[in-house]
Amino acid sequence: MNVKTMPADPKGVDSGPHFMDGDHALAEGALAAGCRFFAGYPITPSTETFERFAERAPEVGAMFIQMEDELSAIAANIGAVWGGQKVMTVTCGPGFSLMVENIGLAAMTETPMVICNVQRAGPSTGAPTLTAQQDMMQAKYGPHGDNAMIALSPDSPQECFDLAIEAFNLSEYYRVPVIILTDETVGHMHEKVVIPPADQIKVVPRNLFTGPKEDFRPYKFNSKGGNPMTRAGDGYRFHITGLTHNEKGYPVVTAEQNKIVVTHLMEKINGNADDIVRLEEDQIEGADVVVVSYGITSRIAVKAIQDARKEGIKVGSLRMITIWPFCEKRIRELAGKVKTFVVPELNYGQMVNEVERCAGGKSKVISVNHCGGAVHDPEVILEAIRKGSK
Amino acid sequence: MSQDIAQFKKDSPMSGTLRMDRMSHIWCPGCGIGSEVNAFAEAVKRSGIDPDKLAVVSGIGCTGRVAGYVDFDSIHTTHGRAIPVATGLKLARPDMKVVVFSGEGDLTGIGGNHFIHAARRNMDIVVICNNNFTYGMTGGQVTPTTPHSAVSSTTPFGNHEYPFNLPFLADAAGATYIARWTSMHSRNLIQSMEEALSRKGFSFIEIISPCTTLYLRRNRLGDGVDALQFYQENALLKHGADTRTLDLDFQGKITIGKFVEKDKPTYIEALDNQCVKVVGDDYELYGKTIPEREAEEKAEKARVAERRAAVLAEEEKARAKAGVVKVSAKIPVKAGAKKAVAKTTKKAAAATTKKVAAKTVTAKKTTAKSTTAKKAVVKTAKKAAPKAKAKAAVKKVAAKPATKKVAAKPAAKKTRK
Ligand SMILES: Cc1ncc(C[n+]2csc(CCOP(=O)(O)OP(=O)(O)O)c2C)c(N)n1
Ligand code: SF4
Ligand SMILES: [Mg+2]
């Protein structure tokens, strides 16, 4: 990501050590990243982010509004982005399902924004508000039609703060909605969070078009990030639509144009996966078993991995910080080199399908699924590692 | 040939307010939407608003396509979500005018929740609703406003549901400006849109409009011209009418007019007021944290007034050139007459004539927004009615008593048979 950054606006940065939960850390991360608009609708276990922002809004000159539902919350955020603001909202499954409508509009209109899904156990109202990681696929396939989005998954309150900033930076650069897939456990877990001084926080500012009016185009279908956008009131008189459009933003509803737009939307993310994907790896070299995990489950897996190593099993850890785009290249590299991928997750088996696809039959894949409502017993993961090492 | 068309588009009086490079539009012959958009473009011109500081947001539907044809910052959103997108835009840019232009299905069916909540918050946006009693874009299904017994593609035996009375809905929800016109009442529409654009708060304008291709055809109501004739014969002008009385029956009378106009703090003003009350001097007013922005707002106000005056002067000149003398007599409804009166009043005041003028000025000052209607009430009522009545008229917000006295009704009556 070859992009201009600038230090964070100190107004939004509450520097110093804090003891806070993941939800609050998300709000602080957003404020540090320059988010000055927040439209949302309350739902446990995400509400704390929302409340924190409401309290902090006046002191940073931000706007906070509780909308009448999640449909309108996400819509208001889109409006605010085209008004020039950086925006964020939080929700969990039931609310995310409603937001999906206009997350699709945001993807289509290349509107940057950050949406946090503090996952709880579903389906439907499910088990409020017990933990889960069941919306992994929804983050990718939620909106209808083909569009690629970015999703990140923090495993601690500190990472909630850090990834909130990263999410904003990615969304600004790629002009795409970025989803933070956290969960009830990380959201409500209190830990030490260190907020650095503002000048040490790198922020990607909105890339606004400044050329002559005749040259203005709200879009550029080049499968790349870094394209400029605009905001209301700058005199460019933009038009944006959820319809298939040309670079001027005007509707052009043809198969040819749809190909141009969809290819761009997909490729600007998938084609730049190398730039986007972030993983945390530990002792993968020479490992027989690699545990592929993310979010809260990766912290449970640590215990199982430690115990397995005590037993002499060569086991590595691959923690996905980026969920989408999927770390396809890395899994393909390891496929055939490791005996088994063990994939624990708080769902009936979602990301494991991606691992299996990329493993391509060259390595065994063991799913350690869990229907949500609690975290894994590390013993179950350990058992899978043992099985995988044989 | 194509060169000529390009030049023709460029020279069009609508160039600068409509995206001429997107013409021709998608609307059917006789559809009401086109003339409403024309009225809107005209209202924007007359309002003096900087077109660069105006945004139009639409939902989905035939009317939803309006955003694509106006030459302002414009967003064509998803079905029903124009109002929340406009809300976000307005809150991000309080200095901009934000207008929602959409269909009744979009605004009050799928988007009904957003409609009432934006009204409740007195969100500072203008909502223009093209009410054609049908889901036009999808082929003419029943909507929340389709009159009882009217035929639609999904009520083939006649609508058994009860329709919304939209001005009443808006009123109950808290809208601070409510008017209804038909697509035939261009003058009133321009005047009303201009008024809505020039004030603060949630303004709602309902426009009864013909969907020739679907609603009219299915109900065997003729073509676009028949619809306009019907409107002319059946529209009853009643400013200030009780919104509870504004139900629309199938092919019944259509009460039009400005029903509500009141002052109430907007969403942002209410937020600021509350925070100032609790936080005190430390609280920085939202959107005004940068001092230059305040100065900018002030300057913009002055510019608006200047542009507005220029547009009106130009019109006056054109009229004089065309030899049109009795302007007010030509305007079918009161609203236009008010305007002319208000204008002269202003001049009179400047020349420090007598009490009448002075009074107009006070009225203008206290209401801050000085709707021309109010001014006109003072003036016309004074002429014809005793003092006490005139005062009452001013308080009543809408130009109710005045309505009875001016050319409006007779003009409408003339053609009624
Ligand atoms: C979520 C969703 N549901 C349904 C539709 C299909 N749809 C498109 S336009 C429309 C009706 C629009 O009616 P109205 O707002 O009255 O506008 P008109 O076409 O009459 O101007 C519908 C139902 C859609 N686009 N999106
Ligand atoms: S279908 Fe009806 S509403 Fe749509 S453009 Fe045609 S006449 Fe107008
Ligand atoms: Mg309609």
Side-chain angles (χ1 to χ4, degrees):
Chain A
M1 209 163 89
N2 177 21
V3 58
K4 252 197 299 181
T5 58
M6 56 187 280
D9 170 8
K11 217 171 181 182
V13 185
D14 193 5
S15 302
H18 299 260
F19 184 63
M20 62 167 71
D21 68 10
D23 282 356
H24 284 91
L26 284 172
E28 288 304 329
L31 288 165
C35 172
R36 294 292 180 270
F37 187 92
F38 192 117
Y41 189 81
I43 186 165
T44 319
S46 71
T47 312
E48 289 84 348
T49 311
F50 186 53
E51 290 167 343
R52 177 85 167 195
F53 206 98
E55 208 179 315
R56 294 268 273 132
E59 64 192 72
V60 300
M63 171 52 74
F64 166 89
I65 183 169
Q66 178 174 322
M67 294 297 287
E68 51 272 16
D69 51 31
E70 286 89 348
L71 301 164
S72 52
I74 197 83
N77 282 319
I78 292 179
V81 173
W82 288 93
Q85 291 289 22
K86 287 187 177 181
V87 309
M88 179 170 93
T89 192
V90 288
T91 188
C92 73
F96 196 88
S97 292
L98 293 187
M99 287 187 182
V100 151
E101 176 192 54
N102 280 320
I103 294 176
L105 179 66
M108 183 58 150
T109 53
E110 303 192 49
T111 303
M113 61 165 60
V114 176
I115 304 130
C116 309
N117 181 349
V118 186
Q119 296 170 90
R120 73 184 213 193
S124 189
T125 312
T129 52
L130 307 178
T131 196
Q133 297 176 313
Q134 298 174 330
D135 308 337
M136 312 306 291
M137 288 294 159
Q138 188 187 31
K140 181 176 170 68
Y141 292 115
H144 56 278
D146 283 319
N147 56 79
M149 286 185 290
I150 296 174
L152 312 172
S153 181
D155 73 345
S156 66
Q158 178 68 53
E159 212 173 55
C160 284
F161 175 85
D162 298 341
L163 289 190
I165 295 169
E166 172 136 353
F168 271 97
N169 289 349
L170 287 166
S171 85
E172 288 299 325
Y173 183 72
Y174 289 104
R175 281 185 60 182
V176 73
V178 175
I179 294 156
I180 299 182
L181 283 164
T182 164
D183 54 76
E184 186 275 337
T185 316
V186 171
H188 284 163
M189 171 197 289
H190 279 76
E191 282 184 342
K192 185 177 177 183
V193 173
V194 180
I195 300 183
D199 57 6
Q200 285 172 28
I201 298 174
K202 286 205 167 82
V203 165
V204 176
R206 174 84 27 102
N207 179 7
L208 292 171
F209 182 83
T210 51
K213 198 172 167 183
E214 323 67 271
D215 296 347
F216 170 71
R217 299 283 181 277
Y219 300 108
K220 218 176 188 178
F221 303 125
N222 56 3
S223 303
K224 284 187 187 149
N227 294 333
M229 64 181 292
T230 189
R231 60 180 174 196
D234 278 3
Y236 291 112
R237 308 215 192 159
F238 67 80
H239 177 64
I240 58 159
T241 172
L243 288 165
T244 300
H245 44 265
N246 60 18
E247 294 199 336
K248 267 189 159 178
Y250 293 176
V252 177
V253 184
T254 62
E256 293 74 27
Q257 193 61 26
N258 216 45
K259 184 176 173 189
I260 292 171
V261 172
V262 170
T263 307
H264 168 69
L265 293 180
M266 297 300 286
E267 289 308 315
K268 75 173 177 181
I269 303 303
N270 295 342
N272 292 300
D274 285 352
D275 244 8
I276 300 168
V277 171
R278 270 184 56 195
L279 304 170
E280 190 181 80
E281 298 188 355
D282 178 42
Q283 298 185 32
I284 290 208
E285 210 52 51
D288 285 330
V289 177
V290 169
V291 177
V292 180
S293 63
Y294 54 90
I296 188 59
T297 308
S298 61
R299 294 185 64 171
I300 310 299
V302 168
K303 165 83 172 133
I305 291 167
Q306 281 169 354
D307 288 351
R309 283 178 187 158
K310 275 185 207 151
E311 292 177 15
I313 301 173
K314 280 199 243 163
V315 51
S317 164
L318 188 152
R319 178 165 78 91
M320 297 190 283
I321 296 170
T322 309
I323 302 296
W324 305 115
F326 183 66
C327 51
E328 183 153 343
K329 195 166 141 196
R330 188 62 179 136
I331 300 291
R332 285 191 197 284
E333 271 168 17
L334 295 174
K337 286 194 192 132
V338 302
K339 269 193 203 157
T340 310
F341 292 106
V342 169
V343 189
E345 42 185 346
L346 293 178
N347 56 52
Y348 212 72
Q350 296 190 10
M351 297 310 290
V352 69
N353 295 326
E354 286 294 289
V355 177
E356 207 154 18
R357 178 175 66 82
C358 298
K362 291 185 197 154
S363 298
K364 204 158 62 163
V365 178
I366 300 178
S367 166
V368 189
N369 61 17
H370 186 303
C371 291
V375 293
H376 287 85
D377 179 348
E379 192 60 33
V380 187
I381 305 174
L382 177 61
E383 195 46 50
I385 296 173
R386 283 191 195 119
K387 221 166 97 189
S389 68
K390 285 185 189 134
Chain B
M1 184 64 189
S2 66
Q3 195 70 20
D4 292 351
I5 292 176
Q7 194 57 43
F8 174 76
K9 284 181 176 179
K10 223 171 146 195
D11 294 344
S12 159
M14 285 305 159
S15 141
T17 39
L18 301 184
R19 293 183 195 268
M20 298 312 291
D21 56 340
R22 287 222 56 219
M23 298 296 157
S24 57
H25 57 68
I26 63 158
W27 298 307
C28 308
C31 176
I33 301 172
S35 51
E36 291 159 28
V37 171
N38 244 341
F40 178 65
E42 190 60 37
V44 170
K45 266 196 218 161
R46 296 174 63 116
S47 72
I49 290 170
D50 178 353
D52 286 343
K53 294 282 181 275
L54 171 73
V56 175
V57 183
S58 294
I60 298 289
C62 295
T63 321
R65 291 301 190 95
V66 168
Y69 295 113
V70 290
D71 194 6
F72 312 116
D73 287 328
S74 54
I75 308 182
H76 182 218
T77 64
T78 42
H79 195 20
R81 316 294 171 229
I83 288 179
V85 170
T87 295
L89 182 55
K90 177 69 196 181
L91 296 182
R93 288 299 300 262
D95 58 318
M96 289 192 68
K97 268 282 154 204
V98 180
V99 176
V100 168
F101 207 133
S102 216
E104 89 285 12
D106 187 77
L107 289 170
T108 68
I110 190 168
N113 199 28
H114 314 311
F115 178 76
I116 56 174
H117 284 281
R120 174 179 66 78
R121 296 184 179 110
N122 198 24
M123 197 52 70
D124 187 13
I125 57 177
V126 179
V127 175
I128 300 170
C129 174
N130 175 68
N131 183 1
N132 54 13
F133 307 127
T134 199
Y135 282 155
M137 183 62 97
T138 38
Q141 296 78 24
V142 70
T143 78
T145 65
T146 310
H148 198 73
S149 86
V151 170
S152 76
S153 71
T154 46
T155 53
F157 311 109
N159 182 21
H160 57 282
E161 293 191 15
Y162 304 101
F164 268 144
N165 162 352
L166 293 183
F168 180 39
L169 179 68
D171 196 6
T176 48
Y177 180 102
I178 303 170
R180 176 196 275 160
W181 308 102
T182 79
S183 63
M184 190 215 64
H185 292 85
S186 291
R187 285 273 182 182
N188 307 69
L189 207 46
I190 294 169
Q191 172 81 17
S192 191
M193 286 170 168
E194 192 190 338
E195 256 176 37
L197 284 168
S198 310
R199 69 184 294 282
K200 274 187 182 174
F202 188 91
S203 306
F204 175 62
I205 300 176
E206 177 188 16
I207 312 168
I208 307 301
S209 167
C211 167
T212 44
T213 304
L214 301 160
Y215 184 79
L216 294 193
R217 185 172 56 84
R218 262 206 188 92
N219 287 287
R220 301 179 194 287
L221 299 175
D223 61 15
V225 177
D226 295 317
L228 298 189
Q229 184 128 26
F230 175 80
Y231 294 157
Q232 190 168 36
E233 289 167 6
N234 291 280
L236 301 175
L237 182 73
K238 210 170 160 195
H239 288 305
D242 184 335
T243 53
R244 286 172 299 185
T245 65
L246 300 175
D247 279 309
L248 294 172
D249 296 326
F250 182 64
Q251 291 300 92
K253 298 285 177 211
I254 302 169
T255 307
I256 57 168
K258 176 166 72 181
F259 310 124
V260 172
E261 185 177 31
K262 59 188 176 198
D263 286 334
K264 192 165 99 179
T266 64
Y267 179 85
I268 292 178
E269 287 167 347
L271 167 76
D272 280 343
N273 292 346
Q274 181 63 26
C275 287
V276 165
K277 232 193 285 171
V278 176
V279 183
D281 286 348
D282 285 348
Y283 177 75
E284 287 184 82
L285 299 184
Y286 175 72
K288 293 210 175 129
T289 45
I290 313 160
E292 302 98 71
R293 190 136 155 192
E294 253 182 293
E296 228 172 67
E297 258 174 42
K298 230 186 194 169
E300 179 56 21
K301 249 187 207 156
R303 282 197 293 270
V304 165
E306 217 170 87
R307 275 193 296 266
R308 191 157 183 266
V311 171
L312 294 179
E314 214 164 89
E315 267 178 24
E316 205 56 54
K317 235 196 254 164
R319 272 198 217 103
K321 212 171 159 193
V324 184
V325 191
K326 282 189 211 153
V327 183
S328 49
K330 276 218 140 189
I331 299 170
V333 188
K334 204 201 152 279
K338 272 184 250 164
K339 168 128 249 152
V341 175
K343 264 264 123 171
T344 45
T345 316
K346 223 182 197 172
K347 270 185 203 145
T352 60
T353 339
K354 273 192 184 173
K355 270 182 191 165
V356 180
K359 189 118 203 185
T360 321
V361 173
T362 347
K364 180 181 154 200
K365 276 206 176 133
T366 46
T367 56
K369 250 137 277 137
S370 81
T371 67
T372 49
K374 282 181 205 168
K375 281 187 268 173
V377 171
V378 177
K379 179 87 195 199
T380 45
K382 271 223 154 184
K383 259 194 208 158
K387 211 175 180 181
K389 253 193 189 168
K391 265 193 188 157
V394 179
K395 277 193 191 137
K396 269 212 164 163
V397 177
K400 210 172 169 184
T403 319
K404 288 177 188 150
K405 274 159 218 132
V406 196
K409 259 193 159 171
K413 259 180 194 159
K414 219 166 45 188
T415 48
R416 203 183 301 156
K417 271 265 151 71

